[in-house]
Structures are given as C-alpha cells and as structure tokens.
Amino acid sequence: MSLLHVAIISPFLMAILVPFLYKGLRSIHTGWFVLALPILLFTYFLQWLPVTRKNEAIQESMNWIPSLGIKFTAYVDGLGILFALLITGIGALVVLYSVFYLSKERENLHNFYVYLLMFMGAMLGVVLSDNLITLYMFWELTSISSFLLIAYWYDRERSRYGALKSMLITVFGGLSMLGGFLLLSIMGETFSIRELVAQAGELNDHPLFLFAMVLVLLGAFTKSAQFPFYIWLPDAMEAPTPVSAYLHSATMVKAGIYLVARLSPIFAFSEYWFWLVGGIGIFTLFWGSFNAVKQTDLKGILAFSTVSQLGLIMSLLGAGAAALHYDSLKDNIYTAATIAAVFHLINHATFKGSLFMVVGIVDHETGTRDIRKLGGLLGLMPVTFTIAVIGAFSMAGLPPFNGFLSKEMFFTGMIQLLNVDIFNLQTWGMLFPVLAWVGSVFTFIYSMMIVFKTFTGKLQPEKLPRTPHEAPFGMLVSPMILAALVVLFGIFPNLLSYSLIQPAVAAVIPSLIGPGEQVPVHISHWHGFKPELFMTIGVVALGTAMYVTLNKWSKVYQLFPGKVTLNALYDTGLYSAERGSYTLTKSYMTGFIRTYLVYIFAFFIGILGFTMWNQQAFTFKTDQLAPIGVYEVVLVLVIAASLVTILSAKSRLTSIIALGAVGSAVSLFFVIFRAPDLALTQLVIETVSVALFLLCFYHLPQLSRHEERMSFRLGNLLVSAGVGIVVVLIAISAHSNKMFESISKYYVENTYDKAGGENMVNVILVDFRGFDTLFEVCVLGIAALGIYGMIKLRLEKKGGKSDENE
Amino acid sequence: MLEVVMKISLVCFSLAMLGLIYRLIKGPTTPDRVVALDAIGINLVAIVGILSMLLKTHEFLDVILLIGILAFIGTISFAKFLEKGEIIENERRH
C-alpha cells in the first residue's frame, strides 16, 4: 500500500470522519473541514505532472484477491492525471461552493458530504485503476453515491424518481460493462488494462471481441448519457446544484468518456468502434442540443447541453480511431480529433461547472430556475452575469474563450473525416460535419438563451419568490475561478497542451507514439481562412438569426407528440415490465396447493419420461425375476381392492379404515418377504397413524364436513396415471439393469464376527450404519416437539391463553 | 403332506380375508367395517402363524402377538370413537 493508494482511498476515510465532525463541531460548517482534502489531493496529483509529461507512468500495485488475479493497481499516466486533477480540482471548488449554497441549519450536511466524498473517492478509483475488476468496483460506487446524491432531498417525489431512473440505467450499463470486462479478461487472460493493450492486435481477431466491445460501450454510453441512454441526466437535475455541477457536468458523466478513451488502444482498430462511438456521439450532440432549446428550466437546458457536449467529445474520440490506421505520427492529421476531445473535455468541465454554479446562484437568490419567470437580473447581479456570459459564450464557441478553440478543433476533426477512405466513409462521412454544424447552431441558440433570457429583458419581481440581489462573495468564488480558467485557457491554450493534453493523447493512442516522441500539440487561434472558420461564422450568423426568431419556429417542438419520447418509452417500459411480471406471476402462482402439485408432478413426469425416452433407457429382462407365488397375487389383489375403496369411498371413515387395511396388507408382505422387524414396526405404526387419522377426522370443522365422494377430474387422473406409469417403468428398467452384486454379503458374513449380533437388521441400524439412526431419532424428536409446540403455542388465537391456564 | 395342508389352509384364510374385505368395503355401517377390520386382524394372526411354519422360522411369533394386541387396541379405540366421538377423553373438561 503506497501513498498513491492512500490518496485514492482518503476520501472514503474522510467520509468516516464527517459525521463526527458534524455532530461535534456544529458551529462550523462541515464543508470547511471537507474542503481541505480535495485541495490536498489536487496539490498531491500536481507533483506527478513532470513525470507524466515524459509519457511515463507511475504504477503502484497492491494485492486484493491474488488467487483470482485481482489487484488494486493504481496507474497514473497522462489520461489518469488529467481526470484526477479535474476530479480533485473541481471537487474542491464544488465543496467551497456548497459551503455557501447549503444552509448549516436546515440541511443534513453530514449526509451530503459523506456521499460527496464517497463519490470523489470512487471517481478517483475509476480513473486511476489499472485492474478491470477494481475499476468496475469503483464504477459501481460512483453509481451508488450518485444515486444517494440525486435523492439528497429524499422527501421530494421527483428526486426519488430521478434517483431511481439514473440508478436503473447506470447500473444496467455497469453490469453490461462487467460482462464486457470479463470477456476481455477471458480473451487476454489478464485483468490489467495495460497488459490487454499490449496484446491488442491478437484480441482483434478473437470471436468474443465484438461482444466485449458492445458490452463495454453500453457501460460507457449509459454513464456518459449518450443516445438513447441520456434520459436519466435531465431527471438527475433534482439533485442540489453543487451535485449537478460536480457529478453531472464535470466528473461522473465523463467516466464513460474516460472508459472509451482508456480502452481505445484495444478496440479502436475495429470499424464497429468507429461507427458506434463516432456515430452515436455525433447523433447525441445533435439530439441533445436540439432538445436543449425547448427546455424552460435552466438546469434542464444545462442537462441537455451536457448530453450534447458529451456527444461531441465521444464523436471526437470515435473519429480519433481513424488515426490508428496510419503507422506513424508524421502527417497524421487524424490525431487532431483526439487532441480536440481531450481539450474539449477540460474546457467543458470548466465552463459547465461555472454555468451550473451560476444557475445555482440564480436559483438561490430568486427562488426559481424557470426562464419564463426570470429576466432583467443584469443590474442586480452583475458578477453572476459576467460569469454566465463567459461560460455560455465559451460553450457556444465564441472567441476569445476556450470553447472557441475546441469547437474549431472539433470542426477540423469532423472535416478531416471527409478525407478518410476506410469504413465506408466516402458515402456516409458527410453526415459528421453536417450534424456537427447543425448541433453547433442549436448549441449557440441555447447558450444565448441562458444568458439573455435570464439576465436581460424586463424584471418580473411579482413572479419571483424572493427579491433578487447579488450572491454572497463566497458563493461567487468558485464560479469566478472557473470563469477565469475559461478565459485563461482561451487566451493561453498552450499552458495546457504541453502539460496535460500531450500525455493524455499519448495514453489514448499509445501505438502511434515511438519512444521519446511527443504528440505535436499546438493550439493556435488563427488557422488562416480554413473551412472551420467559415463554419463558425455560419454558426454565429444562423444562430443569431434563429435566436431572434425563436418564438416563430419554436412550434416545431410541438410536432413531436409527448408519447413517443424516450422518457415515455422508459416510463411505459418500466410500468409494463412491472405489470407484465405481476400478471405472469399471478397467472401461475394461484395459491392453490393443487396447482403447484400439478406443476411438480407434471414436471416430474416430463423430465423423467423425456430422459427415459431420450436415452432409450427402458429395458425389461426376465432372467433375474423370482417366481410369483399364489399368496403374493392374493395380497396384491387385497391391496388393490383397498386402494380402490380409498379412492371411491363416499365416507372419509371408510377411506381411513381401508388405509388401515392397506397398512396391514403391507405388513403381511413384509412377513412373506421375511422381514420380521419391518412387519412389527409397520403394524404398530399403522395402528398409531390410523388412530391419528381418526383424530383428524373428528376435528374436521362442521361446515365442510360434507360426506361426498371425491370428484373426478380428468387432469388429476392423467397426472396420477402418468406418475404411476413413469415410476413403474423406471423401477422395471432399474431392476433389469443391475450392474453389480449387492454389498449385503459383507453384512451377512460379518454381523456376528465383527459386531457380535445375530439380528442383521438391528446390527445394521445401530452398528454398521448407526449414524442414520441417530438422526432419525432426531427427526422423531423434532416432530414430537413440533406437535407439542403447535398445540400449546396458539398465540394468535384468542382463547389460547386461558385454555392453558385452566 | 403337511405343507399341502398348510397351503390349502392359507388359501382358505385368504378367501376369508377377501370376504372380510368385501364387508369392509361394502359396509353398510361403520360398526360392520370395524368388526371386519378386527376379524382381518385375527385372520392375519392365523396367516402369519401358518406362514412362519411354511418358512420354517420362529422369527414371526412376535408379530403374531403384536397383531393380537394391536387388533384389540384398534378395535377398542374404534369402538370408543363410535360411541363417544373421541378416543382419549379430555380430563380437563370435568
């Protein structure tokens, strides 16, 4: 266990302390204690930057379940450090923000920070694990902690609905991913991602390869809210805003992105990977941005915008797969897509985090997030407005913010796909730039909506629950830092390119990097008059025009009936799954023992009959049969007559007496077959049980004491006849198939010599196999105690107690 | 010779048993059946006795005694049941 492991686990350790801090130090907001940890971790991870810059990695291993090859291997490379810095950095800012956002008096802060720290630790574990099983464990921990955080205000119905929905979808994906991981480990015979990457070439031809890929991608797509699994993200907006800012914009939803990027070296050679990741990504981009425009809730807009931006990053990662089909880094223009993906990942975390915090401030200070009620806050909240402008303009892709740069690079990546002559891209490649451009137009529109519908226009104080005013300074610090980063990265993008982007890209496409080589990353503002610049100009022009005329064409959204949305599909799907399983269970679990007996016996007949028939097992040999005497025949007739009487008797008493006759006849059989001990026992037991039957008969309730013949049912006849025939057939076959001598000879020879007895049956019962007897005695004891208990302990019956006291 | 005689008597007892069983099935009243059952028990005693002679063993003499006792107890309990509606009277009622 190294310091690195301690760093990953430290949030969990801190989470244990939080409730004590909350109870013990009520006067200080618990968030202040928590804040120290992410800051510490951030500085700790910063120290690895010089190592990862050289495309080297730090690896620390700790055995967890060594016999299964499961280790807790912490592995820090360019990609891991990028995510770790995002998680701890934005984590620190979010904790700081939450200190001012959540009230010390009214909220259950200890719950909040325990969940949040759990999430932070889980997320660190996801991005820094090299072992697939460890990764999966942390992955599920993020799902669980996210579930807890979404339902933080658990007394609200919508929160619980959103939490359940996100849980179902992400856990579905998580389980698929586990399946994919297991297939991967079967193919590569290791759980280590690095070792799998090393044998990527061989894995490609494996028959399980495609299954593994689809299953892993299901996990990534559900977590990263890709089409059609994005539906949980808008409903997760019921969570407190710091949670939305942290989980649902900057970190958790990027776990899927991380997974795709991490496993790219294994899967990306495949054509399916390109189409699945790239195609679904670009469609999610378009769909998310298209739907964001119709939202009226600020967090709703941001949720769909997150979906759309994640689609953007995903499509870039898919497009980056094209780079692997070229041997070297030289003149490999397709690496631009991967670089853009990593760059936009950072940018999105910064501007989306700040936007969520802005929305939280607006919500906190006005009491609503509905853009139809908001407006004219510009004069009242100037600082918030400035931050919102920076974030939203960056999201829309306007200079000089960082979103502009990554949007330009995104267009570059998409346009370059036109030049690719693999994967059928000649025919379908055109879709990528077109969808990208249309999606960007909608992105521009909703970004403008966030700023202008909230902060400009007319103030409507009568619609607002609270009188709006500027937020306290503490609440503004975090979004201000993020906005500052947006501007900083916008103006000096190469601050990032050498320290973070280069090593991260190198981790995504390791096969292209030679020793000592670096990915050439140089982000410049001015490319010259290239198509992407004109595309951006087009986006701004068309976006402005469409924003101004929004009221005229927004009816377009009403063309889609509400019933055919994916949400409706999810709701009806869940409802009909419940309904269907209820109906199904109801249909065969009738509550009648008769039905269950029919199932059991029918299954018995079916399975045994089928096996006999299938194995051609029926044999009938007569050579071992003993001669049949007259007396056996007579006894069989007696038994048969008694059985017919039992079945056809009108009175129950007759049945009971006939049953006694059967018992006596059986004991007579024991006499004929020379089993005196059995005959003795059988007689006694038979008499006792007949007496017991009579006892039961007497206690039958008066109401149902109809003396009537057992009614005839064809089904019962068939089942009972079937059971009888099958058993007889099996008995005959078993008797005809005696393979070897019985072991009874040993008993005959040794009963007197070794055990000192003459009665062989009794010697077997108490000597050779006395162990069985012990437990049969036990059974009798239990039965006796049980009967005593049943008779004496009639707790729910009213008269029970007084009966005993008499 | 003895063996033939014993077999003949076995057949006779069996026929008697069949007749008793007919009575057991037919009834018409429960006491008829109980008496039939009791007689079946005694028949059984005889059959087991002859059988053990046929099988040349004295292992089954216990069985004969037991049948006698049980047939007695069984008939008594049936009789009590028919008379009073229960076999073991509940002392606490008094």
Side-chain angles (χ1 to χ4, degrees):
Chain A
M1 191 144 182
S2 63
L3 194 59
L4 190 56
H5 286 114
V6 177
I8 293 173
I9 298 175
S10 59
F12 295 108
L13 302 176
M14 182 76 191
I16 298 173
L17 281 181
V18 163
F20 298 107
L21 291 172
Y22 177 72
K23 298 272 182 205
L25 297 157
R26 286 303 287 258
S27 53
I28 305 168
H29 196 287
T30 318
W32 290 116
F33 302 111
V34 177
L35 181 60
L37 183 74
I39 293 175
L40 200 69
L41 286 174
F42 185 76
T43 45
Y44 171 74
F45 284 120
L46 273 181
Q47 61 148 333
W48 298 117
L49 274 181
V51 182
T52 53
R53 263 200 68 180
K54 286 181 266 171
N55 287 348
E56 283 163 15
I58 302 102
Q59 186 175 355
E60 298 285 351
S61 203
M62 189 179 94
N63 270 339
W64 181 20
I65 312 175
S67 58
L68 298 179
I70 296 172
K71 294 175 189 167
F72 183 7
T73 309
Y75 182 74
V76 187
D77 63 351
L79 193 63
I81 196 86
L82 164 66
F83 274 91
L85 288 176
L86 274 182
I87 291 159
T88 48
I90 296 187
L93 295 177
V94 161
V95 171
L96 177 65
Y97 177 77
S98 70
V99 167
F100 294 92
Y101 186 85
L102 293 173
S103 150
K104 193 168 59 181
E105 285 81 24
R106 273 172 290 137
E107 304 284 357
N108 293 318
L109 289 176
H110 53 314
N111 290 353
F112 182 80
Y113 287 111
V114 167
Y115 302 159
L116 198 74
L117 282 169
M118 208 169 112
F119 171 79
M120 193 184 290
M123 203 62 211
L124 277 178
V126 166
V127 299
L128 297 180
S129 289
D130 183 53
N131 191 291
L132 287 174
I133 299 297
T134 323
L135 199 161
Y136 171 73
M137 182 192 75
F138 285 118
W139 184 278
E140 290 299 1
L141 270 174
T142 64
S143 294
I144 292 166
S145 47
S146 159
F147 169 80
L148 291 169
L149 282 167
I150 295 169
Y152 174 65
W153 287 308
Y154 50 81
D155 43 0
R156 296 184 191 171
E157 205 266 327
R158 292 295 304 171
S159 295
R160 297 197 303 269
Y161 172 79
L164 181 67
K165 192 172 182 178
S166 71
M167 182 76 163
L168 283 176
I169 293 178
T170 53
V171 167
F172 159 73
L175 281 176
S176 312
M177 191 183 83
L178 177 64
F181 283 176
L182 292 178
L183 289 183
L184 266 180
S185 72
I186 290 169
M187 289 192 287
E189 292 177 347
T190 173
F191 283 119
S192 160
I193 296 175
R194 263 171 356 104
E195 287 169 28
L196 284 169
V197 168
Q199 40 181 313
E202 299 135 51
L203 296 183
N204 260 293
D205 307 323
H206 202 281
L208 294 175
F209 180 75
L210 192 60
F211 291 107
M213 185 174 97
V214 170
L215 286 174
V216 167
L217 279 184
L218 264 179
F221 285 170
T222 49
K223 201 73 159 183
S224 280
Q226 297 296 295
F227 188 87
F229 306 111
Y230 68 86
I231 50 171
W232 64 268
L233 187 60
D235 281 304
M237 291 302 129
E238 295 299 322
T241 305
V243 173
S244 306
Y246 189 36
L247 275 70
H248 306 127
S249 72
T251 52
M252 188 181 85
V253 287
K254 296 211 168 86
I257 302 273
Y258 167 79
L259 192 73
V260 167
R262 179 56 89 198
L263 298 180
S264 273
I266 301 175
F267 290 117
F269 286 100
S270 161
E271 175 186 358
Y272 301 103
W273 176 268
F274 174 84
W275 278 110
L276 278 174
V277 177
I280 289 182
I282 199 83
F283 187 73
T284 311
L285 161 70
F286 162 73
W287 189 251
S289 59
F290 177 69
N291 275 298
V293 177
K294 76 171 172 189
Q295 305 298 317
T296 53
D297 176 36
L298 279 174
K299 273 176 106 174
I301 300 178
L302 288 178
F304 275 102
S305 129
T306 304
V307 170
S308 147
Q309 304 277 317
L310 290 169
L312 187 158
I313 301 172
M314 201 63 100
S315 68
L316 281 170
L317 283 175
L324 293 178
H325 291 266
Y326 297 86
D327 286 333
S328 71
L329 269 179
K330 288 225 170 88
D331 308 323
N332 196 338
I333 48 174
Y334 306 109
T335 51
T338 312
I339 297 167
V342 174
F343 188 36
H344 195 73
L345 180 85
I346 305 167
N347 293 346
H348 177 249
T350 52
F351 67 69
K352 191 54 66 67
S354 70
L355 280 176
F356 264 109
M357 290 173 185
V358 162
V359 168
I361 290 170
V362 170
D363 187 16
H364 208 263
E365 305 305 331
T366 64
T368 181
R369 304 190 308 245
D370 193 330
I371 50 172
R372 287 167 299 192
K373 294 182 189 161
L374 292 165
L377 297 175
L378 177 53
L380 295 163
M381 306 167 83
V383 184
T384 319
F385 170 72
T386 315
I387 300 166
V389 165
I390 293 172
F393 281 20
S394 175
M395 182 158 73
L398 295 175
F401 307 112
N402 57 6
F404 169 71
L405 300 168
S406 49
K407 191 60 77 72
E408 291 278 280
M409 291 163 73
F410 168 57
F411 285 147
T412 314
M414 289 296 129
I415 291 170
Q416 275 161 359
L417 282 181
L418 293 177
N419 305 327
V420 185
D421 48 4
I422 43 176
F423 305 154
N424 288 332
L425 269 173
Q426 305 93 315
T427 15
W428 296 101
M430 199 57 207
L431 270 180
F432 281 91
V434 168
L435 275 178
W437 191 75
V438 176
S440 300
V441 172
F442 283 108
T443 307
F444 184 85
I445 297 170
Y446 70 68
S447 303
M448 295 305 114
M449 278 168 64
I450 292 176
V451 176
F452 292 112
K453 293 224 169 180
T454 315
F455 292 99
T456 60
K458 212 167 62 189
L459 185 65
Q460 301 158 299
E462 71 284 354
K463 284 189 184 171
L464 298 177
R466 289 185 213 146
T467 340
H469 56 79
E470 186 58 277
F473 179 70
M475 215 180 215
L476 287 167
V477 170
S478 300
M480 266 157 60
I481 292 173
L482 285 171
L485 286 177
V486 168
V487 179
L488 185 70
F489 294 157
I491 297 170
F492 305 107
N494 291 317
L495 278 179
L496 288 171
S497 59
Y498 300 119
S499 56
L500 278 174
I501 298 177
Q502 260 177 10
V505 171
V508 180
I509 46 171
S511 61
L512 290 177
I513 315 277
E517 215 175 349
Q518 294 282 2
V519 190
V521 176
H522 187 77
I523 301 162
S524 57
H525 285 265
W526 182 250
H527 319 268
F529 290 103
K530 288 215 178 135
E532 44 267 38
L533 185 67
F534 296 115
M535 279 170 87
T536 306
I537 293 171
V539 165
V540 175
L542 187 66
T544 316
M546 283 178 77
Y547 175 69
V548 173
T549 56
L550 187 59
N551 291 335
K552 294 192 178 129
W553 59 271
S554 61
K555 288 195 190 81
V556 115
Y557 287 109
Q558 287 153 14
L559 291 178
F560 298 101
K563 279 181 188 165
V564 294
T565 56
L566 284 167
N567 270 324
L569 187 73
Y570 166 84
D571 287 335
T572 50
L574 205 60
Y575 176 76
S576 39
E578 271 173 28
R579 208 54 238 174
S581 46
Y582 176 76
T583 327
L584 184 70
T585 313
K586 195 88 180 148
S587 69
Y588 71 91
M589 301 299 278
T590 55
F592 293 111
I593 291 178
R594 177 183 175 269
T595 331
Y596 305 143
L597 285 178
V598 168
Y599 298 151
I600 293 169
F601 286 129
F603 193 72
F604 176 87
I605 298 167
I607 284 288
L608 292 179
F610 176 75
T611 313
M612 289 287 286
W613 177 76
N614 195 33
Q615 303 284 324
Q616 304 291 328
F618 181 70
T619 44
F620 183 55
K621 285 188 208 148
T622 48
D623 52 344
Q624 284 181 328
L625 296 183
I628 303 171
V630 188
Y631 214 73
E632 281 102 342
V633 175
V634 175
L635 260 184
V636 166
L637 286 178
V638 167
I639 291 183
S642 314
L643 287 177
V644 171
T645 316
I646 293 175
L647 290 177
S648 59
K650 189 162 180 269
S651 142
R652 286 200 180 90
L653 205 53
T654 318
S655 292
I656 293 169
I657 294 170
L659 192 65
V662 171
S664 312
V666 168
S667 74
L668 211 54
F669 257 121
F670 288 144
V671 172
I672 298 176
F673 292 142
R674 304 178 197 214
D677 298 290
L678 281 182
L680 279 174
T681 322
Q682 167 71 19
L683 273 171
V684 177
I685 296 299
E686 190 58 40
T687 315
V688 171
S689 38
V690 166
L692 286 177
F693 272 120
L694 285 174
L695 194 70
C696 298
F697 173 74
Y698 171 72
H699 284 287
L700 278 183
Q702 211 66 38
L703 261 180
S704 55
R705 226 177 181 179
H706 306 297
E707 292 282 357
E708 61 180 27
R709 207 175 296 271
M710 197 165 61
S711 60
F712 176 77
R713 281 206 186 97
L714 184 67
N716 288 4
L717 179 74
L718 287 179
V719 168
S720 55
V723 170
I725 291 168
V726 165
V727 171
V728 166
L729 285 181
I730 289 175
I732 291 175
S733 307
H735 188 263
S736 309
N737 275 326
K738 270 191 184 164
M739 303 272 182
F740 32 74
E741 285 282 303
S742 145
I743 56 164
S744 57
K745 215 173 142 213
Y746 172 83
Y747 293 131
V748 176
E749 283 164 3
N750 293 304
T751 300
Y752 187 75
D753 294 344
K754 295 207 168 143
E758 287 174 342
N759 187 331
M760 201 173 86
V761 174
N762 292 356
V763 169
I764 289 176
L765 281 180
V766 299
D767 193 317
F768 290 127
R769 302 185 56 182
F771 205 57
D772 298 350
T773 314
L774 178 67
F775 287 103
E776 270 151 37
V777 169
C778 221
V779 167
L780 273 182
I782 291 169
L785 282 177
I787 290 165
Y788 183 79
M790 277 199 301
I791 291 171
K792 282 291 179 187
L793 301 173
R794 280 176 296 184
L795 292 180
E796 75 261 34
K797 209 173 166 189
K798 251 190 265 165
K801 258 195 177 157
S802 59
D803 216 40
E804 269 171 54
N805 295 342
E806 263 179 275
Chain B
M1 185 62 204
L2 188 63
E3 224 168 79
V4 178
V5 172
M6 282 192 289
K7 279 188 178 161
I8 291 170
S9 39
L10 260 188
V11 171
C12 291
F13 277 115
S14 306
L15 291 175
M17 188 109 142
L18 275 179
L20 288 168
I21 285 173
Y22 170 77
R23 187 48 55 206
L24 188 76
I25 294 165
K26 192 71 186 166
T29 63
T30 308
D32 289 327
R33 294 194 177 102
V34 174
V35 171
L37 201 65
D38 190 44
I40 286 176
I42 304 305
N43 246 337
L44 277 178
V45 170
I47 289 172
V48 174
I50 297 169
L51 270 178
S52 52
M53 285 170 81
L54 265 178
L55 297 172
K56 295 193 173 55
T57 167
H58 50 81
E59 298 290 336
F60 290 111
L61 300 183
D62 301 344
V63 178
I64 292 172
L65 281 176
L66 191 76
I67 294 175
I69 296 166
L70 287 180
F72 173 72
I73 296 174
T75 313
I76 292 290
S77 45
F78 264 116
K80 193 161 182 197
F81 177 76
L82 291 174
E83 191 187 49
K84 294 196 170 174
E86 61 184 336
I87 299 168
I88 302 166
E89 281 169 70
N90 201 338
E91 298 282 337
R92 289 179 292 190
R93 292 259 170 95
H94 300 294

